[in-house]
Structures are given as structure tokens and as C-alpha cells.
């Protein structure tokens, strides 16, 4: 049983029990404090601790009382760190229909209301007002994805860089724990926060006079925020630049004018080396929620408590996803030894029953993958290594991953390891032309299905329409049919009765009502009644969101239809539930209106229409 001394302190009492007379850094988080490598505040805190700094954490501070949570540690010696948490607060708080959610997975007891909307802004502003001379540095998903001008779906307006909306001195975007250490060292050496302007993965305010006169090999200039407000197509064009630079191994500095201030976005760091990533996961995490939550359940922790993350980054480039914008397109993988060490640590947890819930990552089967010719990767400007087709320079050998699964399962105390993260079947089924690699990939698929599925394998074809899938940067639905056939064949040969659960999205840019009707018919013909479905939710810094907001594809300039009104969205979503009699009359009328008797007959054969 761990006690509070095993954690970073969350109170002055805990700090004094450690023998400290001061703190160097105080971290404020919108999430509960779980000392686990899947929780950003714990990673940043442990990394700073390993560098020799005294770090305290204030989880989910009360921003509505006398602000005692913000005052309790006083001014730290170096800086305050602020994060909204593991999710954008507005995604956390509201549904795709903009309805308030009733729970919060990152709060004890799933209680709603433990954080404000936009904690990045609220926390930073409180700290600046209380401690005007102490640097305030913000990071995490919310700040990362809002580092430039961005469309906010919940307010239905274009907002400036979040650095212009809050009183923080700097944003550290992406997986920036190493940058936090560098900032601490520079501040400790006597540098002023306003003079630290060139660190990778940071966003700072600068005088507009520093914006270069023109683009060059080190700088690129976006349309200003005011220009984007006047013309949505300027915002759309900006996104192409931002995505391209964010996915480049050697990106340029991005400048954007906001009135009389310039926002400077320094390029991302190169991918972490295996040694650097191992060092992060080898920090002394307890892997547990802080004892202050004793007896309370934190749903997000329950999901990952016995899971293991094997790598960072994702080269899928899905149009509606922010992973590459935050973690990068290039994969950083842990060593086999580091993963096995963590697996052994999981077996020593008192509640471990023998099952690893997930051996994965952002996309489970990208572990250890990279370009065969890294110089070609250095020059590459593609946002995706899988779309429109798998890059011929990509090493897609799943052999090392299959071997790693086997070695984890050989650890005493582990009965079985599951893969709960999303699997890119377009990657594992890709035919390389190399007989040995193709054979190892077939073995991977078979072992995944027979040994690492907990009865149901969830995959994400997202849609059935090739036109919509093209905008999503996803493969043709034909490939899902092939994978479903393989899944059924492997189960049949193994004498197993597992389910393949596909995930679909409605109202994505480019999707029309007839596309959803065709999706309903095609999935019905496959014998599916869909479970994993969702309306498209526009979130900052995705291609899909930029199309939703502007009406244009940033890469082609073409106008794209998007369902934006509640009525248009409901008209699409209802087709997920064609089997529910409550929707039958409305669907029948809609198909009659669209003059699609062929779809009506297939969805509701004449003998079942009355």
C-alpha cells in the first residue's frame, strides 16, 4: 500500500513531510492526480523531479472560492505549470450536440463540474493575478491544439491563439516534458521568461516587428487572425501550412499576427530516441491515484491501470484526429526491455489478475516502424504515411511486434495480454511484395485475432463511402470487408466465436444523407446492428474541422458540403438505427424523398414494411 510520501506532494503538509522548505515548480491540472505514465501531469512532474527539482501538483483546484488552492504553495522558485488535463475541456464537458455531459472520466466518482470550461485560460489568469512576477507556462492537449487561430465548435466562432486569450507567458505544446526541464534550467540560471523565445515546441508572444518580411527556409508566415476573421478561406489555407510544418521532421517557425502582437510557434523537437523514451517510462511512478482519492473510482484510470504504452506518435494522418499534431507523425518506440520491465511491474500490482488490458499506443500496430530511408522521411511533407496509399518507403514489418507480444505473455503471472488500442488493419494487411514481410504480417494478424482479443476486436473503418473516406484519409471500405473475412476465417479455424466491432462516424465533411443511407444498407447486408457510432465533433487543429468551419478543402480549394445544423445531423445519424422501429417511418419518408426505392427495398423488404 502506497502512502502520500510516494507521490508528488499535493498539499503543504505533504511537502513538509518530505522535508522540503520550498517548491521549484507547481503544476495545476484539470484532472485528478494519477501517478501513471498515461497522465500528463505525472509525466511532467516526475521528469522535473528526476532533473533535481521539487515539484508539487494541485489537481482540479477550486476556482470559485477564495482561491486557496492557488495560493497554498505560494510562489514557486521557478514557474507555475498549467494544463487543462488529458482532454480539451470542451470535448470533456460537451457532446457533439453541444449538450452538457453528466460525468467526467478524469474526476473521482466521475463527478461533473470539477473543472471550468477552458481551464488553460481560467487557471493561468488566476495565477497571473495572484503572482504577477512568477512565470506561468501552459501545456497539454487544450493548449497544444489551440496554439494558432482555431475554430471553436462550442462557441461557433474563430478564436485567436489561446496564448492571446490567457495570461500565460508561454505554451509548451506536444509531449513537452523535456522542454519543461530546459525551461527550469534556464530560469534557474537567471534568464528571464520573456527572453526564452527560441525553444523547440514552445509558443511565445513577440513584437510584430520580428515577423520576417517573407517566407524562407526557416520561417513561414500565416494569414493574420484578422484576415482569417474576414475570410474563412485564409484560415483554411493556414491549416495546410500548420499541418505540413507540424508533420515535417525539420519544420519551420510559424508566425501569425494577432493585432499588434505576433504569435511565434517554434518547430517540434525531433522524435525521442528509444533511450529517451525508456527513461520517461522508467521514472518511479506508483501507477496509482493519489491516496487523497481513497475509496473513489476514477474511470479514466480504471481503463488504463493494467495497460502498457509501447510508443508515441502516429503516421496515420486521419483527417479528424489530433494525435500527430500533438505527438508527431514519426514513431518513437520503447525498447523491448523497457516494456518488459513495465509488464513485470504491472504483475506486482495488488489488484492484478493476470491480464494486461492493452499493449498498444496511439495506433497499436505502429510499434518500431519508420522509413527505410530516413533521408527521404526528412524531406517528406505528406501528412499521412498510409493515405492515399501506404508509403513504399515505410517499413511495415509486424514481426518484431508479434515477438514482443509473445515475450510479454511469457512473463510469470501474465495469463494473457490484450490489444485494446486501435489497430490499423490497412497497415497489417498491406502487401509489401517482400514474401518474408508479408508472411510475418499474416502471422501478426492471426496471432492478434487468436491470442490478443478479449472476445471483441474494435476497428475503425469510419464509413462505407469511398468519397467520404477519401476526405477522412481512410482506406476503402473494401479493405474492411477483406479484414472481416480474414477475422471470420481465423476464428473458424481456431474454433472461436469472437466479434469484430466496427466504428462509424456520421455528419463528417463530405458526407450527405444518401451516404448514410447506403452505409445503413451495406452494414445491414453484413448482419450488423451498429454499436460504436458517433456524430462528427469538430475539434481544434484537424483537417475535418477546418473543412467544417470554412466549407473548403485546404489542400484542393474545393468547396465541400458539410452537415452543420441539428436537423442535418439528425437526418444522417438516424440511419445508424435503421433497425429501431422508432426511426422507420422517418427513414422511409427520407428515402422516398431522395427517390431511392432501391435502398428502401434493401433496408425494409416489402414483407416487413407494414
Amino acid at each position: 500500500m502506497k502512502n502520500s510520501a510516494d507521490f508528488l506532494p499535493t498539499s503543504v503538509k505533504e511537502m513538509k513531510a518530505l522535508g522540503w522548505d520550498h517548491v521549484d515548480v507547481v503544476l495545476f491540472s484539470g484532472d485528478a492526480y494519477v501517478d501513471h505514465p498515461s497522465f500528463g501531469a505525472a509525466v511532467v512532474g516526475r521528469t522535473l523531479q528526476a532533473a533535481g527539482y521539487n515539484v508539487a501538483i494541485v489537481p482540479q483546484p477550486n476556482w470559485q472560492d477564495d482561491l486557496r488552492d492557488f495560493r497554498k504553495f505560494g510562489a514557486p522558485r521557478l514557474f507555475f505549470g498549467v494544463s487543462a488535463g488529458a482532454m480539451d475541456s470542451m470535448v470533456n464537458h460537451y457532446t457533439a450536440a453541444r449538450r452538457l455531459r453528466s460525468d467526467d472520466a478524469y474526476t473521482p466518482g466521475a463527478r461533473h463540474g470539477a473543472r471550468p470550461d477552458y481551464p488553460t485560460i481560467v487557471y493561468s489568469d488566476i495565477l497571473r493575478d495572484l503572482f504577477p512576477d512568477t512565470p506561468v507556462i501552459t501545456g497539454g492537449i487544450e493548449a497544444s491544439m489551440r496554439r494558432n487561430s482555431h475554430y471553436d465548435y462550442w462557441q461557433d466562432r474563430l478564436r485567436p491563439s489561446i496564448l492571446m486569450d490567457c495570461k500565460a507567458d508561454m505554451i509548451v505544446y506536444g509531449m513537452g516534458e523535456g522542454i519543461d526541464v530546459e525551461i527550469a534550467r534556464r530560469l534557474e540560471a537567471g534568464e528571464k521568461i520573456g527572453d526564452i523565445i527560441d525553444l523547440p515546441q514552445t509558443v511565445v508572444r513577440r513584437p510584430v516587428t520580428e515577423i520576417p518580411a517573407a517566407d524562407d527556409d526557416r520561417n513561414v508566415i500565416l494569414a493574420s487572425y484578422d484576415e482569417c476573421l474576414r475570410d474563412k478561406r485564409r484560415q483554411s489555407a493556414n491549416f495546410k501550412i500548420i499541418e505540413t510544418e507540424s508533420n515535417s521532421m525539420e519544420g519551420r517557425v510559424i508566425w501569425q499576427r494577432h493585432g499588434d502582437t505576433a504569435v511565434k510557434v517554434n518547430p517540434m523537437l525531433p522524435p525521442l530516441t528509444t533511450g529517451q523514451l525508456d527513461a520517461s517510462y522508467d521514472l518511479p511512478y506508483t501507477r496509482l491515484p493519489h491516496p487523497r482519492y481513497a475509496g473513489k473510482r476514477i474511470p479514466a484510470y480504471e481503463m488504463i491501470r493494467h495497460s502498457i504504452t509501447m510508443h508515441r506518435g502516429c503516421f496515420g494522418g486521419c483527417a479528424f484526429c489530433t494525435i500527430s499534431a500533438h505527438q508527431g507523425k514519426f514513431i518513437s518506440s520503447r525498447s523491448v526491455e523497457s516494456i518488459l520491465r513495465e509488464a513485470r511491474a504491472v504483475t506486482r500490482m495488488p489488484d492484478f489478475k493476470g491480464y494486461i488490458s492493452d499493449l498498444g499506443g496511439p495506433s497499436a500496430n505502429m510499434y518500431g516502424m519508420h522509413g527505410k530511408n530516413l533521408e527521404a522521411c526528412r524531406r517528406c511533407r505528406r501528412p499521412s504515411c498510409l493515405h492515399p496509399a501506404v508509403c513504399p518507403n515505410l517499413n511495415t514489418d509486424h514481426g518484431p511486434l508479434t515477438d514482443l507480444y509473445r515475450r510479454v505473455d511469457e512473463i510469470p503471472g501474465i495469463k494473457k495480454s490484450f490489444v485494446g488500442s486501435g489497430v490499423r488493419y490497412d497497415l497489417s494487411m498491406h502487401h509489401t511484395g517482400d514474401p518474408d514481410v508479408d508472411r510475418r504480417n499474416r502471422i501478426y494478424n492471426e496471432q492478434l485475432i487468436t491470442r490478443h482479443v478479449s472476445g471483441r476486436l474494435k476497428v475503425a473503418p469510419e464509413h462505407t463511402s469511398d468519397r467520404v473516406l477519401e476526405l477522412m484519409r481512410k482506406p476503402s471500405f473494401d479493405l474492411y470487408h477483406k479484414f472481416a473475412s480474414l477475422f471470420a476465417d481465423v476464428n473458424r479455424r481456431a474454433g472461436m466465436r469472437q466479434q469484430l466491432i466496427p466504428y462509424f462516424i456520421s455528419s463528417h465533411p463530405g458526407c450527405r444523407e444518401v451516404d448514410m443511407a447506403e452505409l445503413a444498407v451495406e452494414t445491414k447486408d453484413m448482419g450488423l446492428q451498429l454499436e460504436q457510432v458517433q456524430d462528427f465533433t469538430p475539434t481544434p487543429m484537424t483537417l475535418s474541422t477546418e473543412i467544417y468551419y470554412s466549407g473548403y478543402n485546404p489542400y484542393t480549394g474545393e468547396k465541400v458540403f458539410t452537415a452543420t445544423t441539428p436537423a442535418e445531423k439528425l437526418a444522417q445519424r438516424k440511419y445508424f438505427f435503421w433497425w429501431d422501429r422508432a426511426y422507420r417511418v422517418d427513414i422511409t419518408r427520407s428515402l422516398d424523398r431522395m427517390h431511392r426505392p432501391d435502398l428502401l427495398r434493401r433496408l425494409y423488404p416489402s414483407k416487413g414494411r407494414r
Side-chain angles (χ1 to χ4, degrees):
M1 181 69 179
K2 301 289 185 180
N3 59 49
S4 60
D6 298 308
F7 294 77
L8 299 173
T10 65
S11 69
V12 173
K13 180 180 178 181
E14 292 171 15
M15 179 192 80
K16 290 181 176 178
L18 294 171
W20 300 357
D21 60 3
H22 73 281
V23 289
D24 299 310
V25 178
V26 182
L27 303 177
F28 286 81
S29 173
D31 292 339
Y33 171 30
V34 178
D35 192 45
H36 188 283
S38 293
F39 287 74
V43 174
V44 171
R46 290 296 189 183
T47 302
L48 285 163
Q49 180 191 49
Y53 297 105
N54 291 354
V55 184
I57 291 184
V58 181
Q60 300 188 313
N62 190 331
W63 73 101
Q64 297 172 303
D65 61 2
D66 60 2
L67 306 181
R68 67 186 65 182
D69 285 342
F70 293 89
R71 301 173 190 271
K72 62 183 177 183
F73 286 107
R77 189 168 66 94
L78 299 175
F79 67 86
F80 289 110
V82 169
S83 171
M87 294 175 66
D88 185 286
S89 65
M90 304 307 280
V91 179
N92 180 286
H93 282 174
Y94 301 95
T95 69
R98 298 190 178 99
R99 295 192 182 95
L100 191 65
R101 298 186 191 274
S102 59
D103 58 359
D104 183 339
Y106 292 86
T107 298
R111 180 174 61 88
H112 177 79
R115 78 186 85 208
D117 289 353
Y118 310 108
T120 302
I121 299 171
V122 175
Y123 296 171
S124 297
D125 289 3
I126 291 172
L127 291 168
R128 169 60 66 240
D129 292 343
L130 292 175
F131 304 98
D133 299 323
T134 304
V136 178
I137 297 165
T138 187
I141 289 285
E142 183 167 275
S144 288
M145 299 301 99
R146 297 170 180 267
R147 58 189 184 255
N148 289 107
S149 63
H150 58 278
Y151 173 67
D152 188 294
Y153 171 69
W154 297 272
Q155 293 190 344
D156 192 23
R157 70 181 179 95
L158 191 72
R159 293 187 66 144
S161 164
I162 199 167
L163 194 59
M164 298 301 297
D165 267 344
C166 75
K167 296 178 180 178
D169 295 285
M170 176 188 292
I171 296 171
V172 175
Y173 70 88
M175 308 294 277
E177 65 267 35
I179 292 298
D180 290 321
V181 172
E182 180 64 19
I183 292 169
R185 287 174 175 157
R186 291 199 183 187
L187 291 172
E188 188 173 35
E191 287 190 54
K192 301 296 184 185
I193 188 66
D195 295 332
I196 303 175
I197 61 173
D198 295 319
L199 276 180
Q201 263 175 249
T202 62
V203 185
V204 295
R205 302 182 198 87
R206 302 303 302 156
V208 292
T209 54
E210 292 187 11
I211 299 177
D215 295 351
D216 55 34
D217 59 352
R218 295 185 59 192
N219 300 277
V220 60
I221 306 163
L222 303 179
S224 72
Y225 175 56
D226 287 338
E227 290 173 317
C228 292
L229 283 173
R230 290 193 296 267
D231 185 352
K232 291 182 178 181
R233 285 175 291 189
R234 301 300 296 274
Q235 172 68 17
S236 176
N238 275 359
F239 176 80
K240 179 181 176 181
I241 297 169
I242 294 167
E243 184 177 51
T244 300
E245 298 300 331
S246 297
N247 283 322
S248 296
M249 196 170 284
E250 296 177 348
R252 293 178 288 178
V253 175
I254 297 173
W255 296 86
Q256 186 177 29
R257 181 170 184 158
H258 289 67
D260 59 0
T261 302
V263 170
K264 180 187 183 187
V265 182
N266 290 305
M268 293 188 83
L269 282 164
L272 293 181
T273 65
T274 294
Q276 289 171 325
L277 194 55
D278 283 358
S280 179
Y281 280 88
D282 288 344
L283 294 171
Y285 303 102
T286 64
R287 300 184 63 87
L288 298 168
H290 190 277
R292 66 192 286 163
Y293 310 123
K296 297 179 180 178
R297 177 176 174 270
I298 302 173
Y301 170 67
E302 297 297 322
M303 290 179 62
I304 54 84
R305 63 193 307 166
H306 299 141
S307 69
I308 297 173
T309 299
M310 302 189 298
H311 65 275
R312 288 182 182 177
C314 180
F315 49 69
C318 297
F320 45 81
C321 182
T322 61
I323 291 172
S324 65
H326 188 71
Q327 294 195 10
K329 180 177 77 171
F330 300 98
I331 305 299
S332 295
S333 297
R334 299 169 63 185
S335 68
V336 172
E337 292 73 20
S338 174
I339 294 168
L340 295 179
R341 277 197 298 275
E342 186 175 2
R344 294 187 191 100
V346 173
T347 67
R348 294 192 290 271
M349 295 177 68
D351 62 341
F352 183 66
K353 306 299 183 185
Y355 299 97
I356 300 289
S357 61
D358 185 23
L359 281 174
S363 286
N365 57 322
M366 292 183 183
Y367 174 79
M369 294 187 183
H370 52 74
K372 302 168 192 172
N373 177 357
L374 292 182
E375 281 305 309
C377 293
R378 199 172 301 279
R379 298 188 300 270
C380 179
R381 313 290 278 180
R382 283 176 55 171
S384 170
C385 302
L386 300 181
H387 182 84
V390 176
C391 176
N393 186 47
L394 181 64
N395 171 19
T396 64
D397 188 352
H398 285 62
L401 190 52
T402 307
D403 182 64
L404 179 53
Y405 290 169
R406 176 185 57 78
R407 293 188 62 179
V408 169
D409 282 353
E410 288 174 350
I411 293 175
I414 293 180
K415 298 175 183 177
K416 198 167 187 178
S417 60
F418 298 112
V419 177
S421 305
V423 173
R424 290 297 299 249
Y425 54 80
D426 50 338
L427 182 60
S428 65
M429 296 186 70
H430 172 63
H431 292 288
T432 67
D434 181 323
D436 290 334
V437 172
D438 289 346
R439 176 181 58 82
R440 287 193 289 269
N441 290 357
R442 286 195 298 273
I443 292 172
Y444 170 82
N445 282 324
E446 292 191 6
Q447 292 200 7
L448 169 73
I449 295 167
T450 57
R451 302 182 188 179
H452 303 287
V453 175
S454 58
R456 310 173 96 207
L457 178 62
K458 295 179 182 179
V459 293
E462 311 293 5
H463 214 285
T464 58
S465 163
D466 282 347
R467 181 174 46 77
V468 177
L469 288 165
E470 177 69 21
L471 282 166
M472 290 179 164
R473 294 182 182 151
K474 296 286 286 187
S476 170
F477 194 64
D478 289 343
L479 193 59
Y480 173 80
H481 281 291
K482 293 177 182 177
F483 185 74
S485 177
L486 170 68
F487 186 85
D489 181 59
V490 171
N491 273 278
R492 183 171 55 254
R493 286 189 279 112
M496 305 175 78
R497 296 173 61 86
Q498 300 182 119
Q499 291 179 288
L500 186 64
I501 309 297
Y503 184 94
F504 292 97
I505 295 177
S506 61
S507 301
H508 187 275
C511 181
R512 295 181 180 272
E513 185 178 344
V514 68
D515 297 313
M516 292 303 299
E518 290 172 348
L519 182 153
V521 167
E522 185 155 1
T523 55
K524 181 201 173 186
D525 288 348
M526 298 175 69
L528 298 175
Q529 285 191 9
L530 303 181
E531 301 177 19
Q532 300 291 311
V533 298
Q534 182 181 335
D535 286 342
F536 167 66
T537 304
T539 56
M541 210 168 174
T542 72
L543 172 61
S544 302
T545 297
E546 296 300 335
I547 297 174
Y548 177 96
Y549 168 67
S550 72
Y552 294 90
N553 185 329
Y555 284 84
T556 66
E558 295 175 343
K559 195 165 181 59
V560 179
F561 167 80
T562 304
T564 58
T565 69
E568 288 173 331
K569 292 181 179 183
L570 181 59
Q572 293 200 16
R573 182 177 176 80
K574 67 189 178 189
Y575 290 97
F576 285 143
F577 310 106
W578 59 267
W579 44 268
D580 187 335
R581 295 188 67 87
Y583 292 91
R584 189 165 176 167
V585 171
D586 190 22
I587 289 174
T588 299
R589 287 173 180 164
S590 294
L591 292 175
D592 284 338
R593 171 176 50 80
M594 290 188 289
H595 306 293
R596 293 302 302 266
D598 56 323
L599 298 180
L600 185 57
R601 284 193 298 271
R602 291 174 63 188
L603 206 54
Y604 303 123
S606 56
K607 64 180 180 179
R609 287 184 61 190
R610 301 295 179 190

